[in-house]
Amino acid sequence: MSLTSKPSEGIAARQVARPVPLRETVYEAILELIITGELKPGQHLVEKELAEALGVSRQPVREALQWLQKDEWVDLRPGYGAFVHSPTPEEADQLLGVRTLLEAESARLAAVNSTKDGVAELKQIYKSGLAALKADDVEAVVAANAELHAKITEMSGNKVLNELAAQINRRVRWYHTPVAKSRGKQAWDEHSALIDAIAKKDGDTASRLMREHTEHTRKSYLDHSAED
Amino acid sequence: MSLTSKPSEGIAARQVARPVPLRETVYEAILELIITGELKPGQHLVEKELAEALGVSRQPVREALQWLQKDEWVDLRPGYGAFVHSPTPEEADQLLGVRTLLEAESARLAAVNSTKDGVAELKQIYKSGLAALKADDVEAVVAANAELHAKITEMSGNKVLNELAAQINRRVRWYHTPVAKSRGKQAWDEHSALIDAIAKKDGDTASRLMREHTEHTRKSYLDHSAED
DNA sequence: GTCCGGAATACTGTATGCTAAAACCACGGG
DNA sequence: CCCGTGGTTTTAGCATACAGTATTCCGGAC
């Protein structure tokens, strides 16, 4: 077979072979287990077991656990081990509060620094999300939502803010998924108004809309968790 | 407020024997080397060399480097190694911008949730900082400043916000030290007004004062770096 | 029956060895 | 003299081995 020429991929779109560090693969694997609930909050994660289950040695597992701790997915008790983080309602509330803060500021900056291309991309994502919504594809809606917010923070032009928001949003994902269903339609209407404000470079309005938007999500989560 | 009360706080305030994991010691050691400038930005950090220099094996060094990467002190290129992060003026500006955001919100919440004890502690820290200022002890002034800000974010009652602000402040420390001298006096006057606002539970004023305060620091940094 | 103490156990923390790949350098050809 | 190429060396990534410590369970004494 001809592995030399792949004209469609450009010359160096991606280095042909990028050996993904094993620790990253392990990180993703464990994170998936946590999010899907296969590993329950409070559960003791034993390095040896994880290593055997994933077919690697303890070393990559250890490093992955350190990364997971940094993102608050697990709690690491020195001398004992790693435990799946137990999210409390209080923490969820605080997390969503901080998220509101960061997202609102991102929206403001994104509006001020908005470009035609950027807005076009936002509208594109909006459209795909709308389609997913109509198709009742919850998975795709959540993904589009994440993409939209990520794009807005990226458009803020503040890399530090972008990084921080991404960090928070990863953690929010834990709580977000269950409420996504019930809030789908309204959330996307709000997105539409938000994109308009950004297109008009109206920072204050964009900030306000985003604040309201994330506050709605927060309320929605609180109501939802109260049901249980 | 729903903090589970520990009646015997005096007894087990700190577990008598806390064997600090070696990785943490190594983390602190390397961080110190970076902050003091002994390890220059962009420099290639070789695991083996660090391990020998610190008298430990490579393993704790590796883990410490991962932690340092998470805090943006080093850049970790997969397959090659760790490099001391090169801070750019642009990044510093963005960092200080985010800091303003987080600190302002912390101040607001701290004011709203302020208690007599908390305010008393703030005043205590303020006094010690003032003393250090008069004694021209820059080191102590910086320390008191960090302590004061840390206390305020702690008083916000939002653990997530607290953690995030701490993370940002650690990074700011890199840029902060050189400008601390020139800004000492004025900064402490601003602290005084801020503490008053918190004591009066005036959230809006506290937030505004903190915003102005951190913006001054930002300006000060920009002016200072422009001199070079 | 309950409580204290000690040994067995299981796990993390640390050290070291091995492998594969990336960078550097010297050499040779144009 | 410059550029390409091969070999050499260095270094990170991963696996494994060893040691120290917290936990737990069982047995005996009060």
Side-chain angles (χ1 to χ4, degrees):
Chain A
M1 50 177 168
S2 70
L3 27 78
T4 48
S5 63
K6 284 215 173 181
S8 58
E9 286 191 8
I11 295 184
R14 268 282 184 260
Q15 277 88 356
V16 271
R18 192 182 74 176
V20 179
L22 200 47
R23 54 171 177 254
E24 282 185 30
T25 312
V26 173
Y27 171 91
E28 299 289 347
I30 298 178
L31 182 54
E32 200 55 33
L33 289 176
I34 293 177
I35 291 180
T36 60
E38 201 153 339
L39 297 175
K40 305 226 177 320
Q43 181 172 345
H44 187 183
L45 299 179
V46 179
E47 294 177 357
K48 195 183 172 194
E49 290 179 7
L50 288 172
E52 287 179 0
L54 298 173
V56 299
S57 77
R58 278 179 52 207
Q59 171 102 358
V61 173
R62 275 183 72 83
E63 295 184 359
L65 287 175
Q66 313 260 340
W67 283 35
L68 287 165
Q69 183 199 25
K70 110 189 170 191
D71 289 348
E72 301 274 357
W73 289 104
V74 305
D75 299 320
L76 217 48
R77 272 174 50 189
Y80 193 42
F83 298 80
V84 180
H85 182 69
S86 296
T88 66
E90 180 193 8
E91 185 187 337
D93 189 48
Q94 295 181 352
L95 201 52
L96 291 168
V98 173
R99 176 172 177 251
T100 296
L101 194 66
L102 296 177
E103 292 279 345
E105 183 68 8
S106 296
R108 178 193 308 280
L109 293 174
V112 173
N113 302 325
S114 75
T115 63
K116 272 209 164 51
D117 286 353
V119 173
E121 283 192 66
L122 289 182
K123 286 186 176 169
Q124 182 58 40
I125 298 170
Y126 172 74
K127 268 172 60 182
S128 67
L130 204 59
L133 190 65
K134 280 180 180 161
D136 242 356
D137 185 348
V138 178
E139 195 87 5
V141 172
V142 172
N145 184 64
E147 197 185 349
L148 186 68
H149 280 267
K151 185 66 196 171
I152 291 176
T153 58
E154 183 196 323
M155 284 174 63
S156 76
N158 188 324
K159 289 202 186 70
V160 176
L161 184 60
N162 185 28
E163 186 61 36
L164 227 55
Q167 191 179 321
I168 294 293
N169 279 325
R170 275 197 299 272
R171 292 171 61 182
V172 168
R173 190 174 148 205
W174 182 305
Y175 314 99
H176 189 266
T177 310
V179 304
K181 268 200 297 284
S182 56
R183 224 181 95 62
K185 185 66 177 69
Q186 194 197 345
W188 279 95
D189 288 345
E190 291 168 4
H191 282 157
S192 177
L194 180 59
I195 294 175
D196 283 346
I198 291 175
K200 288 175 188 156
K201 293 183 178 292
D202 184 347
D204 287 341
T205 302
S207 173
R208 181 176 54 78
L209 286 174
M210 180 63 97
R211 179 175 294 273
E212 290 169 6
H213 173 63
T214 54
E215 281 299 321
H216 286 160
T217 301
R218 183 182 184 178
K219 270 266 182 55
S220 178
Y221 170 75
L222 291 177
D223 292 346
H224 185 275
S225 63
E227 289 172 9
D228 300 338
Chain B
M1 40 187 80
S2 63
L3 291 173
T4 51
S5 57
K6 287 188 177 176
S8 57
E9 199 162 303
I11 294 185
R14 272 280 186 266
Q15 274 88 355
V16 272
R18 191 180 75 174
V20 180
L22 200 47
R23 55 171 176 252
E24 282 185 31
T25 312
V26 172
Y27 171 92
E28 298 290 346
I30 297 177
L31 182 54
E32 199 57 30
L33 289 175
I34 293 177
I35 291 180
T36 60
E38 199 153 341
L39 297 176
K40 305 223 177 319
Q43 180 172 345
H44 188 183
L45 300 179
V46 180
E47 294 179 356
K48 195 182 172 191
E49 290 178 6
L50 288 172
E52 284 178 2
L54 298 173
V56 298
S57 77
R58 278 176 52 209
Q59 173 94 4
V61 173
R62 271 183 75 82
E63 296 185 359
L65 287 176
Q66 311 262 343
W67 283 35
L68 288 165
Q69 183 199 26
K70 108 190 171 183
D71 289 348
E72 300 273 357
W73 289 105
V74 307
D75 299 320
L76 216 47
R77 274 174 47 189
Y80 192 40
F83 299 80
V84 180
H85 181 69
S86 296
T88 66
E90 180 194 8
E91 185 187 337
D93 189 48
Q94 296 181 350
L95 203 52
L96 292 169
V98 173
R99 176 173 177 251
T100 296
L101 195 66
L102 296 177
E103 292 278 345
E105 183 68 8
S106 295
R108 179 194 306 281
L109 293 174
V112 173
N113 302 324
S114 74
T115 63
K116 274 208 160 56
D117 286 355
V119 173
E121 282 190 65
L122 288 182
K123 287 188 175 168
Q124 182 57 40
I125 298 170
Y126 172 74
K127 269 172 59 183
S128 69
L130 204 60
L133 190 66
K134 280 180 180 161
D136 243 356
D137 185 348
V138 178
E139 193 89 4
V141 171
V142 172
N145 184 61
E147 196 184 351
L148 186 67
H149 281 265
K151 186 66 196 172
I152 291 175
T153 58
E154 183 196 324
M155 285 175 63
S156 75
N158 188 325
K159 290 201 186 70
V160 176
L161 184 60
N162 185 28
E163 186 60 37
L164 228 54
Q167 190 180 320
I168 294 293
N169 279 325
R170 274 197 298 273
R171 290 170 63 182
V172 167
R173 190 175 148 204
W174 182 308
Y175 314 99
H176 189 265
T177 311
V179 304
K181 268 201 297 286
S182 56
R183 222 180 95 63
K185 185 67 176 69
Q186 194 197 347
W188 279 96
D189 289 346
E190 292 167 3
H191 283 158
S192 178
L194 181 58
I195 294 174
D196 283 346
I198 291 175
K200 287 176 190 156
K201 293 181 177 291
D202 185 346
D204 287 342
T205 302
S207 174
R208 182 176 54 79
L209 287 174
M210 180 62 97
R211 179 175 294 274
E212 289 170 6
H213 173 63
T214 54
E215 281 299 321
H216 285 161
T217 301
R218 184 183 185 177
K219 269 268 182 52
S220 179
Y221 170 75
L222 290 177
D223 292 347
H224 186 273
S225 63
E227 290 171 9
D228 298 338

